């Protein structure tokens, strides 16, 4: 459709005939994000009344929401290999005009500062100390203990800007930086707390003790400024929660599980604040990931 046809269609949004409005709405929704600038332009002109403005606002939100939903579905179908892409898609739920370039530049800065301090002669423990120093001392990232369940703790753009996040968002930043500098650190989907595992690529623990270690050299807690700990402490934590010691609580999880947990955290945060509409929409995003994964056999 050309600009005049789109403008004519938009002018019918406040038509009192509900059937006409629903036909117009369906057509505009099918056009996707490309029609948003025209909708915004007509909304800003502010001469078609409150009904028109309200309907345009809802239309824009539905289009943007559908873009996030379909984007997450496609991300899963593509294998969910790019963690940053999945996390940014969730960020776009709250921030449709997200400046991805700004986020990537900040992550690159963190990576550069870490890379300058690393060398091949360092042990795994020494590499983690370097990463901890850069993230938690130089750049002052920290856990938001005062406002732990706030939604902003789950949005990467907010965390990078404020320097405060929850265990999962801090872990995501940690994982992304480690990925960039080729350090084998991955997420562990522990109940009630997200942590990291440094993989035992050389089989050091098995060679020394002969014990099974799930391929993990040690664990890291980014929420406690990168504290290093071992398997026994996870076992004690699970005992406190009276939970079964399942294998997945000790082993790295995939990126799809991480993004699903971001959404789960947001659902809880918005429900706690009384934002039922947001929590229901996020449940739809979660279901979209699940259905896409089942279709592709990845979950």
């Amino acid at each position: 459709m050309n600009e005049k046809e789109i403008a004519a269609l938009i002018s019918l949004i406040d038509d009192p005939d509900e059937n006409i409005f629903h036909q117009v709405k369906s057509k505009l929704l099918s056009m996707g994000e490309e029609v948003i600038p025209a909708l915004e332009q007509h909304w800003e002109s502010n001469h078609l009344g409150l009904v028109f403005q309200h309907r345009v606002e809802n239309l824009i939100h539905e289009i943007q929401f559908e873009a996030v939903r379909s984007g997450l579905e496609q991300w899963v179908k593509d294998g969910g290999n790019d963690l940053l892409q999945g996390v940014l898609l969730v960020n776009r739920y709250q921030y449709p005009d997200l400046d991805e370039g700004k986020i990537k530049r900040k992550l690159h800065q963190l990576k550069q500062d870490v890379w300058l301090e690393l060398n091949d002669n360092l042990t795994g423990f020494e590499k983690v100390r370097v990463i901890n120093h850069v993230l938690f001392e130089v750049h002052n990232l920290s856990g938001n203990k005062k406002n732990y369940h706030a939604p902003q703790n789950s949005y990467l753009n907010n965390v990078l800007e404020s320097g405060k996040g929850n265990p999962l968002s801090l872990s995501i930043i940690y994982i992304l930086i480690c990925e960039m500098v080729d350090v084998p650190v991955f997420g562990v989907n522990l109940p009630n707390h997200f942590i990291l595992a440094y993989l035992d690529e050389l089989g050091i623990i098995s060679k020394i003790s002969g014990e099974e270690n799930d391929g993990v050299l040690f664990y890291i807690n980014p929420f406690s400024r990168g504290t290093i700990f071992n398997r026994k402490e996870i076992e004690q934590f699970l005992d406190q929660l009276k939970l079964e010691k399942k294998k997945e609580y000790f082993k790295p999880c995939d990126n799809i599980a991480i993004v699903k947990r971001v959404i789960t955290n947001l659902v809880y945060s918005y429900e706690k604040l009384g934002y039922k509409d947001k929590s229901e929409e996020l449940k739809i995003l979660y279901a979209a990931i699940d259905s896409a994964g089942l279709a592709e056999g990845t979950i």
Side-chain angles (χ1 to χ4, degrees), residues 116-128:
L116 289 171
E117 299 292 330
L118 291 179
N119 67 70
D120 294 335
N121 298 320
L122 298 178
T123 66
F125 291 100
E126 290 168 336
K127 288 177 181 178
V128 166

Side-chain angles (χ1 to χ4, degrees), residues 159-170:
V159 178
L160 288 170
E161 190 170 325
S162 69
K164 294 187 180 297
N166 57 30
L168 181 55
S169 60
L170 294 175

Side-chain angles (χ1 to χ4, degrees), residues 36-241:
I36 288 179
L39 285 167
E40 289 177 334
Q41 183 180 351
H42 281 74
W43 182 92
E44 288 168 3
S45 64
N46 198 30
H47 66 276
L48 291 174
L50 292 175
V51 172
F52 174 83
Q53 288 191 339
H54 181 66
R55 285 179 171 180
V56 167
E57 287 168 3
N58 287 339
L59 258 173
I60 291 172
H61 177 71
E62 284 189 51
I63 291 169
Q64 290 169 335
F65 179 78
E66 174 57 23
V68 172
R69 191 199 63 76
S70 60
L72 284 169
E73 273 190 352
Q74 190 59 51
W75 177 74
V76 174
K77 289 176 182 177
D78 291 340
N81 297 317
D82 187 339
L83 175 59
L84 179 59
Q85 182 189 0
V87 172
L88 290 178
L89 279 165
V90 177
N91 270 220
R92 284 195 174 278
Y93 167 72
Q94 180 65 25
Y95 302 99
D97 299 320
L98 186 70
D99 185 349
E100 293 188 7
K102 184 178 179 181
I103 292 173
K104 290 175 180 178
R105 286 191 294 274
K106 179 62 176 179
L107 289 170
H108 179 75
Q109 181 189 351
L110 294 173
K111 169 253 176 181
Q112 195 69 11
D113 290 349
V114 168
W115 178 78
L116 289 171
E117 299 292 330
L118 291 179
N119 67 70
D120 294 335
N121 298 320
L122 298 178
T123 66
F125 291 100
E126 290 168 336
K127 288 177 181 178
V128 166
R129 286 195 195 101
V130 167
I131 297 167
N132 288 346
H133 170 72
V134 172
L135 296 185
F136 305 120
E137 295 179 31
V138 176
H139 289 275
N140 296 313
L141 291 178
S142 64
N144 191 347
K145 297 175 182 178
K146 188 176 181 180
N147 202 6
Y148 186 86
H149 293 296
Q152 61 260 33
N153 293 330
S154 292
Y155 292 117
L156 192 61
N157 55 322
N158 281 336
V159 178
L160 288 170
E161 190 170 325
S162 69
K164 294 187 180 297
N166 57 30
L168 181 55
S169 60
L170 294 175
S171 293
I172 288 169
I173 293 170
Y174 210 110
I175 292 167
L176 293 171
I177 300 307
C178 286
E179 189 178 89
M180 293 178 194
V181 295
D182 200 24
V183 172
V185 168
F186 300 89
V188 178
N189 212 359
L190 192 64
N192 287 21
H193 200 81
F194 197 89
I195 57 172
L196 302 173
Y198 192 109
L199 294 195
D200 185 11
E201 294 184 310
L202 301 177
I204 295 171
I205 290 181
S206 297
K207 290 175 185 176
I208 294 174
S209 64
E211 295 178 4
E212 184 182 351
N213 67 333
D214 294 308
V216 176
L217 187 59
F218 54 82
Y219 296 93
I220 308 162
N221 184 2
F223 196 70
S224 296
R225 300 173 66 83
T227 303
I228 293 172
F229 58 101
N230 58 31
R231 180 189 175 96
K232 288 183 179 178
E233 291 175 77
I234 296 179
E235 292 174 349
Q236 291 169 1
F237 177 73
L238 292 171
D239 285 339
Q240 289 174 357
L241 295 176

Side-chain angles (χ1 to χ4, degrees), residues 255-288:
N255 293 336
I256 295 172
I258 293 175
V259 171
K260 286 172 72 175
R261 185 148 178 173
V262 173
I263 295 173
T264 300
N265 285 351
L266 283 167
V267 168
Y268 180 82
S269 294
Y270 285 124
E271 284 181 346
K272 196 173 176 67
L273 291 170
Y275 296 146
K276 189 176 179 181
D277 289 348
K278 284 186 175 294
S279 65
E280 290 303 316
E281 285 183 332
L282 284 155
K283 287 176 185 177
I284 292 171
L285 296 182
Y286 188 99

